[in-house]
């Protein structure tokens, strides 16, 4: 028993020693991504993209004559861990700004801690437009909001696909899919379209025959299907819908931006459309995207896994730009400069913050799958966006 | 000492036509017994004769197939084990069943506390009433353990005891319940002759000191003869002989079915 | 009498030292340390109450995090500022949409609701034994998960429940933790604890001694659920934003690990288990970011901390299946006595 006590004491000492701070002259940015756990497939590429951006910026002389240093911790997809990591970034690492995460829960575990220390938190991938109001003044999005991408989807469906009626299937298990479906419906009906049937499922469901039966019973068949789904389910859904003989266009949000869609649905993925941050394609993408992909491949020996890589990359450039314009690494000045960002070009579209809005005005990429290939169908800046 | 049956003073237990079949196998058939207070009854019989089954039926651990059990004028035919224990039947088990990870004294107190309820609030607030009760439990438990020479093991886990000590601890625990009727299933099994004799003496002693009525299942004939006022012999689930030990010993059927084989 | 008094003195001294250490950490440790200290306090409550249910009765519940969820959501709904209620929870029943409770009553209500649910399911679950009870309680966890994700008007469904007031601090968490430790300790060394452990060690013998096995298991389960609900409420006001999936298998695994490492049935073990695992995983979490010892540079390897912890856990279970303490308790007086003998 005494050995146990001594062992515990030793561990405690190691722990206290390892807590010591570290000083340096670099400009420190706190980077929080979930490198492990359920969020890793989105956050891993984001982290890689961010590191690549920092490397490029530093190679070009840094910011304000100083090097950018990304201080990162693994959030482990766990709120308690994220809280601790955010506290360390504030206290021990003394970062001047924080960014990261692609999920509302995760953002909400870190952003309030940054705000308490009067430091901005920019989420690179959590697209809920309701998020910033939970942490007023300090929480920004560098990606578009779901209201923006849903409005873009609705306008493109109405104007270009000539869809007048839509079937709506929503995953009830995620805030993201719930809101996305709701925003689409709002904008689509506002334009004059009608949602003929609204159905739901739960994240992780494997059998959609009940929903498909109801869908097939619709007379006349709807012009399009809007399926609000996350990355893990969409392949299965598309496959089962197509296997049931339904060929109408299927539309969705950036949850579709995963190789799984075409891997699982195969040919069935044709005639699928989705909104996302950019088309990560070496040939079909924009010049910025092509340049980014080349750099990413040179650095990591693999193409960017998804658009989240571009979001992480753009977020670091967004912060670097704000620091440059603020001409200071003072957190307060960074926040002020961030709010006045205008037409900053990026891999995922150019970023402008309207006064008072923490959600950027950003173009939405509409991707179309035809002949087993992704194509950039359009870049849409929606005319009207539903309120968050 | 042993009460004469004819006196029929206080009938403590009345069992009629007790029968038990396990999926067709008649483990016990029309078993009858009437016990007067203070008696020590011995049940003997070859392996598989149905002796333990009698105990398990009396204490509610098995559901009977047929028959009735009346204890202290209360019908306990269909009562649950914990109710029967509450009415005053304590027992030991042929295959020892101690609370292995608990201390010996803990085992004894677990039995003792049945008669004295505690209030949860009193326990949590550590009220003086609760503290005194716990102290009394501990004292009484140590006295009982000392009676069976187990005092130096009081704070060791029950499982750390030797086989013989475990058997004795189980008896102490059953006595701690302050039962009116004590059922002992082979209390000397696995002990050497010296230990067995000691245990039998102790059983006699607690019988006298605590005014107990006892049923003992036992294979050791000399011991049974020494301690019991009456014997029942079971074979294939049926009573084949009953009466004073010396009479039973000379019964030819008993010699044939049981004693003959043993000795 | 002497023994009683010395026990009381040792306990009071331990509590005094605990709060002194807490005060030092609070004053000089900073926000990061404060979050760890609060986390330890909440985990203490979770693990000690899980020990009451699992360690004392031997029925291994894997559904306790369901009670944590109930406590968390109940307290969060009750304390949410009215302005947020109208926007975040517009469909709340009227009697809930008009009230905003203070912290303590909300925490107590959270615990009570968890306890009532435990009573209702316990009436049937406590008849089961062994692996069946684990499977059935895990089923309960899944049901809680499904109810939380579908009861939109109360929980916002799967969406983040944010804006919960940040009431939890070092002091209220640790007062609760010490209270829970004390109460469960008292239960262990009373007739109630003996009944639970007797039924755990040998159900048939326990019944033959008049112990109502079902009732004593139910008592353990309900008290345990109450404190787990309380811990959930404290957690809710600590993290302030969560969703149903915060209360699922990974949380269950974390609490069960701490319990098993400490030892089923040992409260000293629970305390040590929580501290040991928290601090060890914090060290590893910081170490996995990469470090250098002189010329030797270890690069970052994210996930290494979880892998190392899992391997250590497996090794631990193989070599010490009954945990650090089994179900024995650390006796401070004995520890000091030995110390004297050694040094003198
Ligand atoms: N729970 C049970 N299920 C099925 N059969 C049983 C059960 N308990 C006892 N038996 C059977 O009933 C018969 C009587 O068993 P019992 O244990 O009463 O014998 P016993 O006289 O105590 O023998 P021993 O001297 O070996 O202890 C045996 O054939 C036994 O196999
Ligand atoms: Mg037997």
């Amino acid at each position: 028993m005494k050995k146990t006590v001594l062992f515990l004491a030793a561990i405690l000492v190691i722990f206290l020693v390892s807590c010591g701070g570290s000083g340096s002259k670099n400009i420190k940015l706190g980077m929080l991504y979930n490198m492990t756990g359920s969020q890793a497939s989105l956050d891993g590429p984001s982290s890689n993209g961010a590191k690549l951006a920092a490397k490029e910026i530093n190679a070009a002389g840094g910011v304000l004559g100083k090097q950018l240093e990304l201080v990162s911790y693994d959030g482990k997809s766990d709120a308690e861990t994220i809280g601790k990591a955010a506290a360390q970034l504030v206290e021990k690492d003394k970062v001047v700004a924080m960014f990261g995460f692609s999920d509302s829960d995760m953002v909400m575990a870190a952003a309030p801690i940054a705000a308490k220390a009067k430091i901005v938190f920019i989420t690179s991938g959590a697209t809920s437009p309701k998020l910033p109001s939970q942490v007023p003044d300090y929480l920004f999005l560098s990606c578009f909001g779901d209201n923006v991408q849903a409005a873009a989807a609705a306008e493109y469906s109405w104007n270009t696909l000539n869809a007048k009626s839509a079937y709506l299937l929503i995953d009830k298990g995620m805030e993201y899919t719930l809101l996305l479906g709701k925003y689409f419906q709002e904008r689509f009906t506002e334009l004059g379209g009608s949602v003929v049937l609204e159905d739901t499922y739960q994240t992780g469901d494997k059998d959609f025959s009940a929903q498909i039966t109801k869908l097939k019973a619709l007379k006349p068949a709807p012009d399009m299907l809007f399926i609000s789904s996350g990355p893990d389910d969409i392949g299965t859904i598309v496959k089962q819908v197509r296997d049931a003989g339904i060929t109408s266009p299927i539309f969705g949000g950036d949850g579709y931006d995963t190789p799984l869609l075409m891997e699982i649905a195969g040919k069935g993925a044709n005639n699928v459309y989705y909104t996302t941050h950019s088309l990560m394609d070496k040939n079909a993408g924009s010049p910025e995207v092509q340049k980014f992909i080349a750099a990413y491949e040179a650095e990591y020996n693999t193409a960017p896994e998804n658009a989240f890589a571009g979001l992480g990359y753009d977020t670091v450039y967004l912060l670097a730009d704000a620091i440059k314009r603020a001409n200071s690494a003072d957190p307060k000045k960074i926040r002020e400069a961030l709010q006045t960002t205008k037409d900053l070009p990026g891999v995922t579209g150019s970023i402008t913050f309207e006064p008072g809005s923490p959600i950027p005005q950003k173009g939405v990429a509409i991707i179309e799958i035809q002949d087993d290939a992704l194509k950039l169908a359009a870049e849409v800046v929606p005319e009207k966006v539903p309120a968050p | 000492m042993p009460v004469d049956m004819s006196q029929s003073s206080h009938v403590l237990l009345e069992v009629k036509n007790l029968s038990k079949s396990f999926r067709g196998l008649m483990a016990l058939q029309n078993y009858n017994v009437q016990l007067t207070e203070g008696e020590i009854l011995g049940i003997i019989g070859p392996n598989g004769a149905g002796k333990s089954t009698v105990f398990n039926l009396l204490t509610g651990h098995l559901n009977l197939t047929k028959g009735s059990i009346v204890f202290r004028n209360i019908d306990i035919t269909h009562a649950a084990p914990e109710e029967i224990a509450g009415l005053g039947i304590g027992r030991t088990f042929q295959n020892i069943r101690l609370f292995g990870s608990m201390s010996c004294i803990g085992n004894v107190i677990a039995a003792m506390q049945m008669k004295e309820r505690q209030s949860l609030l009193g326990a949590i607030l550590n009220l003086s009433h609760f503290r005194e009760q716990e102290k009394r439990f501990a004292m009484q438990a140590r006295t009982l353990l000392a009676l069976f020479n187990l005092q130096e093991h009081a704070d060791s886990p029950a499982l750390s005891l030797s086989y013989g000590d475990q058997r004795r601890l189980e008896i102490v625990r059953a006595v701690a319940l302050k039962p009116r009727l004590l059922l002992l299933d082979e209390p000397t099994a696995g002990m050497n002759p010296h230990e067995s004799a000691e245990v039998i003496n102790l059983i006699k002693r607690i019988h006298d000191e605590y005014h107990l009525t006892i049923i003992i299942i036992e294979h050791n004939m000399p011991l049974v003869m020494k301690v019991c006022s009456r014997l029942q012999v079971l074979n294939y689930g049926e009573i084949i002989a009953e009466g004073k030990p010396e009479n039973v010993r000379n019964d030819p059927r008993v010699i044939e079915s049981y004693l003959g084989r043993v000795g | 009498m002497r023994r009683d008094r010395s026990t009381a003195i040792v306990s009071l001294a331990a509590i005094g030292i605990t709060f002194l250490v807490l005060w030092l950490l609070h004053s000089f440790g900073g926000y990061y340390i404060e979050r760890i200290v609060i986390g330890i306090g909440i985990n203490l409550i979770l693990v000690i109450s899980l020990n009451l249910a699992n360690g004392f009765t031997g029925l291994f519940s894997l559904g306790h995090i369901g009670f944590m969820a109930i406590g968390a959501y109940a307290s969060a709904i009750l304390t949410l500022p009215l302005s947020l209620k109208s926007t975040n929870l517009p469909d709340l029943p009227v009697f809930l949409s008009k009230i905003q409770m203070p912290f303590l009553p909300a925490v107590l209500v959270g615990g009570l609701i968890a306890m009532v649910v435990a009573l209702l399911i316990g009436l049937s679950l406590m008849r089961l034994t062994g692996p069946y009870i684990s499977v059935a309680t895990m089923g309960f966890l899944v049901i809680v998960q499904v109810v939380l994700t579908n009861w939109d008007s109360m929980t916002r469904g799967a969406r983040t429940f944010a804006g919960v007031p940040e009431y939890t601090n070092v002091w209220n968490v640790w007062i609760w933790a010490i209270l829970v430790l004390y109460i469960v300790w008292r239960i262990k060394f009373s007739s109630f604890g003996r009944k639970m452990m007797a039924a755990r060690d040998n159900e048939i013998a326990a019944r033959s001694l008049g112990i109502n096995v079902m009732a004593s298991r139910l008592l353990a389960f309900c008290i345990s659920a109450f404190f787990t609900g309380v811990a959930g409420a404290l957690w809710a006001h600590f993290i302030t934003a969560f969703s149903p999936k915060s209360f699922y298998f990974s949380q269950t695994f974390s609490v069960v690990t701490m319990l098993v490492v400490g030892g089923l049935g040992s409260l000293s073990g629970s305390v040590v288990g929580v501290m040991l695992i928290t601090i060890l995983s914090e060290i590893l979490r910081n170490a996995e970011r990469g470090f250098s010892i002189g010329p030797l540079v270890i690069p970052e390897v994210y996930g290494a901390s979880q892998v190392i912890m899992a391997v250590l856990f497996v090794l631990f279970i193989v070599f010490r299946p009954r945990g650090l303490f089994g179900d024995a308790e650390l006796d401070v007086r004995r520890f000091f006595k030995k110390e004297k003998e050694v040094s003198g």
Side-chain angles (χ1 to χ4, degrees):
Chain A
M1 190 150 294
K2 208 172 304 175
K3 262 191 217 152
T4 314
V5 174
L6 290 176
F7 171 63
L8 294 178
I11 294 235
L12 194 68
V13 169
I14 298 177
F15 174 60
L16 292 174
V17 168
S18 71
C19 282
S22 59
S24 82
K25 290 188 202 72
N26 302 335
I27 296 178
K28 290 186 180 179
L29 302 180
M31 175 166 89
L32 289 174
Y33 282 112
N34 297 303
M35 306 306 291
T36 53
S38 60
Q39 288 285 312
S41 67
L42 304 181
D43 281 7
S46 301
S47 159
N48 282 343
K51 283 187 192 157
L52 177 61
K55 194 173 172 190
E56 287 177 6
I57 292 168
N58 287 336
V63 183
L64 306 179
K66 292 180 179 172
Q67 296 278 293
L68 275 190
E69 182 182 340
L70 299 187
V71 186
S72 76
Y73 291 86
D74 178 6
K76 304 194 186 301
S77 309
D78 169 63
E80 256 182 271
T81 308
I82 291 167
K84 286 186 276 198
Q88 284 178 294
L89 285 176
V90 167
E91 224 170 54
K92 177 182 148 213
D93 304 309
K94 305 205 165 38
V95 298
V96 296
M98 282 188 213
F99 67 94
F101 296 136
S102 319
D103 174 273
S104 301
D105 275 15
M106 308 293 156
V107 173
M108 285 307 296
I113 294 168
K116 223 185 261 177
K118 305 211 180 309
I119 292 172
V120 287
F121 188 100
I122 305 177
T123 169
S124 59
T127 48
S128 167
K130 297 203 173 206
L131 215 38
S133 66
Q134 314 273 3
V135 191
D137 301 335
Y138 288 96
L139 179 52
F140 290 76
L141 268 57
S142 64
C143 49
F144 52 58
D146 290 330
N147 49 348
V148 176
Q149 65 167 321
E155 290 178 10
Y156 185 83
S157 307
W158 178 262
N159 296 328
T160 312
L161 299 180
N162 277 318
K164 303 287 176 251
S165 62
Y167 160 86
L168 193 54
L169 178 63
I170 295 176
D171 177 356
K172 286 200 301 179
M174 286 195 269
E175 163 130 46
Y176 159 69
T177 48
L178 276 166
L179 286 179
L180 188 72
K182 183 181 137 285
Y183 293 134
F184 173 83
Q185 182 169 23
E186 188 175 333
R187 184 69 187 122
F188 189 65
T189 48
E190 197 179 41
L191 287 163
S194 64
V195 170
V196 289
L197 178 66
E198 191 184 329
D199 211 343
T200 59
Y201 75 97
Q202 186 72 42
T203 318
D205 282 357
K206 294 281 172 271
D207 175 24
F208 298 90
S209 51
Q211 287 92 338
I212 291 170
T213 311
K214 276 196 258 174
L215 166 58
K216 284 191 84 168
L218 288 175
K219 295 276 171 341
D223 298 334
M224 66 173 294
L225 321 175
F226 190 87
I227 299 178
S228 187
S229 150
D232 294 336
D233 300 324
I234 186 57
T236 317
I237 299 177
V238 169
K239 181 166 173 26
Q240 292 187 17
V241 167
R242 294 299 192 224
D243 286 351
I246 299 165
T247 53
S248 331
I250 297 176
F251 221 122
D254 61 330
Y256 287 33
D257 195 353
T258 161
L260 286 177
L261 172 54
M262 283 165 78
E263 275 167 28
I264 297 176
K267 290 259 175 234
N270 288 327
N271 209 20
V272 169
Y273 295 79
Y274 60 90
T275 50
T276 189
H277 309 277
S278 74
L279 175 61
M280 281 292 153
D281 190 289
K282 221 189 288 191
N283 309 311
S286 64
E288 287 95 347
V289 169
Q290 294 189 10
K291 199 178 127 237
F292 169 66
I293 292 174
Y296 195 94
E297 277 182 341
E299 185 73 19
Y300 302 111
N301 292 321
T302 165
E305 292 80 355
N306 46 37
F308 288 87
L311 289 170
Y313 181 84
D314 283 356
T315 304
V316 171
Y317 271 103
L318 174 65
L319 273 169
D321 172 68
I323 296 170
K324 234 178 268 171
R325 284 184 295 108
N327 197 24
S328 157
D330 175 56
K332 183 161 177 276
K333 295 199 172 122
I334 294 175
R335 179 165 72 88
E336 285 161 6
L338 192 62
Q339 188 69 69
T340 58
T341 304
K342 199 159 170 41
D343 296 327
L344 179 73
V347 175
T348 60
S350 73
I351 297 178
T352 300
F353 283 107
E354 296 290 331
S357 167
I359 304 173
Q361 285 278 309
K362 240 179 149 175
V364 177
I366 310 259
I367 310 290
E368 176 186 4
I369 306 178
Q370 296 297 357
D371 307 325
D372 307 328
L374 301 177
K375 272 201 270 299
L376 183 64
E379 281 237 24
V380 176
V381 178
E383 281 164 31
K384 195 160 171 240
V385 174
Chain B
M1 276 300 292
V3 185
D4 193 334
M5 276 210 346
S6 59
Q7 254 181 332
S8 80
S9 52
H10 281 99
V11 176
L12 186 68
L13 178 75
E14 172 101 57
V15 177
K16 283 194 185 134
N17 295 326
L18 194 60
S19 304
K20 175 72 189 176
S21 75
F22 294 109
R23 285 192 221 94
L25 168 87
M26 286 307 284
L28 195 68
Q29 239 171 20
N30 295 326
Y31 173 84
N32 291 290
V33 75
Q34 196 185 54
L35 270 186
T36 21
E37 224 150 335
E39 248 191 301
I40 301 185
L41 170 73
I43 301 181
I44 61 173
N47 289 105
K51 306 181 294 291
S52 298
T53 302
V54 172
F55 278 15
N56 289 335
L57 292 169
L58 289 180
T59 54
H61 286 100
L62 285 176
N63 292 323
L64 46 74
T65 310
K66 201 183 91 187
S68 69
I69 309 169
V70 175
F71 177 65
R72 293 167 66 188
N73 295 321
I74 301 167
D75 181 5
I76 58 163
T77 313
H78 300 289
E82 49 271 34
E83 297 172 63
I84 292 170
L87 287 171
I89 302 185
R91 68 169 294 181
T92 65
F93 297 86
Q94 184 174 357
N95 50 338
I96 308 172
R97 289 179 174 277
L98 288 169
F99 307 131
S101 66
M102 292 168 69
S103 63
C104 293
I105 191 166
N107 270 267
V108 177
I109 296 178
M112 219 166 239
Q113 67 190 21
M114 187 196 68
K115 289 260 162 68
E116 291 191 56
R117 297 193 143 263
Q118 285 180 344
S119 89
L120 189 58
L121 206 63
I124 288 171
L125 298 179
N126 205 11
L127 297 179
S128 65
H129 174 71
F130 166 81
R131 283 207 307 271
E132 276 154 26
Q133 204 176 19
E134 286 287 306
K135 237 175 273 170
R136 199 170 59 243
F137 282 159
M139 242 167 52
Q140 291 174 353
R142 276 176 206 279
T143 314
L144 264 183
L145 284 170
L147 195 65
F148 279 73
N149 257 328
L150 288 168
Q151 66 272 28
E152 75 262 35
H153 300 299
D155 297 307
S156 350
L159 266 188
S160 68
L161 265 54
S162 71
Y163 185 78
D165 283 348
Q166 290 194 18
R167 278 228 172 275
R168 287 189 301 179
L169 176 58
E170 212 191 12
I171 300 174
V172 178
R173 190 179 68 180
V175 171
L177 193 64
K178 301 203 182 76
R180 297 279 285 277
L181 173 63
L182 181 61
L183 311 180
L184 301 172
D185 198 343
E186 304 198 14
T188 67
M191 293 185 181
N192 63 36
H194 175 73
E195 284 177 321
S196 304
E198 191 187 278
V199 165
I200 288 295
N201 282 334
L202 281 169
I203 290 172
K204 270 169 122 170
R205 202 170 141 198
I206 55 172
H207 168 256
D208 298 346
E209 276 182 28
Y210 295 89
H211 309 291
L212 289 172
T213 308
I214 298 178
I215 307 181
I216 303 183
I217 295 174
E218 187 52 78
H219 279 297
N220 189 326
M221 276 308 283
L223 289 183
V224 175
M225 298 289 169
K226 217 172 124 193
V227 75
C228 296
S229 50
R230 180 155 60 115
L231 275 186
Q232 286 183 327
V233 186
L234 283 185
N235 198 14
Y236 294 114
E238 285 179 284
I239 300 179
I240 54 168
E242 177 162 10
K244 285 202 169 16
E246 50 276 21
N247 300 345
V248 166
R249 183 165 46 179
N250 300 324
D251 189 305
R253 278 184 305 169
V254 176
I255 295 169
E256 180 201 336
S257 76
Y258 181 59
L259 301 177
R261 280 195 311 180
V262 171
Chain C
M1 219 34 219
R2 277 232 318 278
R3 201 186 148 85
D4 273 357
R5 200 168 293 162
S6 76
T7 309
I9 289 170
V10 168
S11 316
L12 286 178
I15 293 175
I17 291 170
T18 306
F19 276 98
L20 183 70
V21 170
L22 289 175
W23 179 77
L24 287 173
L25 289 172
H26 173 73
S27 309
F28 305 108
Y31 191 49
Y32 166 55
I33 298 289
E34 177 138 336
R35 288 192 79 85
I36 293 178
V37 171
I38 292 175
I40 288 179
I42 294 175
N43 276 319
L44 275 179
I45 305 174
L46 287 172
V47 173
I48 290 168
S49 41
L50 189 66
N51 206 345
L52 173 58
N54 293 12
F56 291 13
T57 69
L59 302 178
F60 210 97
S61 159
L62 289 175
H64 261 62
I65 298 306
F67 299 124
M68 183 187 178
I70 292 171
Y73 272 95
S75 180
I77 292 169
L78 290 171
T79 54
L80 200 68
L82 295 182
S83 55
L84 275 179
K85 268 188 185 168
S86 56
T87 56
N88 290 8
L89 295 168
D91 305 322
L92 219 52
V94 182
F95 74 100
L96 284 174
S97 65
K98 295 271 185 293
I99 51 166
Q100 185 187 345
M101 267 194 195
F103 187 38
L104 183 62
V107 170
L108 291 172
V109 172
L112 281 174
I113 297 176
M115 184 159 93
V116 170
V117 173
L119 180 67
L120 294 177
I121 64 163
L123 283 171
S124 53
L125 285 193
M126 292 299 111
R127 290 173 207 282
L128 303 175
T129 48
Y132 303 105
I133 200 114
S134 301
V135 172
T137 47
M138 202 192 271
F140 165 70
L141 181 63
V142 173
I143 290 170
V144 170
Q145 189 69 198
V146 170
V147 169
L148 290 176
T149 39
N150 285 288
W151 202 357
D152 283 33
S153 60
M154 298 286 267
T155 64
R156 294 173 51 75
R159 294 172 290 162
T160 308
F161 194 117
V164 183
E166 193 178 355
Y167 289 142
T168 302
N169 59 36
V170 171
W171 309 117
N172 50 33
V173 161
W174 275 81
I175 288 172
W176 269 109
I178 287 176
L179 193 71
V180 171
L181 176 61
Y182 176 76
I183 290 177
V184 176
W185 183 281
R186 293 257 36 105
I187 290 175
K188 181 173 182 181
F189 296 102
S190 73
S191 64
F192 300 95
R194 281 188 295 264
K195 284 184 200 171
M196 293 166 195
M197 289 182 280
R200 170 194 71 189
D201 282 3
N202 199 312
E203 190 178 336
I204 289 178
R207 298 186 72 190
S208 82
L209 297 177
I211 294 172
N212 187 333
V213 174
M214 170 88 180
S216 85
R217 283 177 179 170
L218 203 54
L219 181 73
F221 197 61
C222 288
I223 296 177
S224 164
F226 175 79
F227 289 133
T228 308
V230 165
L234 294 170
W235 191 86
H237 295 278
F238 170 50
I239 298 292
T240 72
F242 48 84
S243 62
K245 64 178 188 286
S246 315
F247 308 97
Y248 219 19
F249 294 123
S250 69
Q251 180 68 30
T252 303
F253 181 71
S254 136
V255 174
V256 166
T257 309
M258 292 177 186
L259 174 64
V260 172
V261 164
L264 282 166
S266 168
L267 299 175
S268 322
S270 294
V271 174
V272 173
V274 169
M275 306 247 183
L276 181 71
I277 291 200
T278 308
I279 293 176
L280 205 59
S281 58
E282 268 316 288
I283 292 173
L284 290 172
R285 187 176 68 79
N286 283 297
E288 74 178 359
R289 302 174 58 235
F291 55 89
S292 53
I293 312 167
L296 181 69
V297 177
I298 310 284
E300 60 177 28
V301 190
Y302 289 120
S305 65
Q306 292 106 300
V307 172
I308 293 174
M309 286 304 284
V311 170
L312 286 179
F313 182 62
V314 170
L315 289 177
F316 190 88
I317 291 299
V318 169
F319 290 106
R320 201 142 179 174
R322 302 201 348 107
L324 284 172
F325 286 79
D327 64 1
E329 298 295 353
L330 179 72
D331 188 335
V332 184
R333 284 164 308 178
R334 205 183 299 167
F335 184 77
F336 281 121
K337 227 182 273 168
K338 264 196 208 154
E339 195 96 316
K340 258 182 216 144
E341 279 166 18
V342 170
S343 59

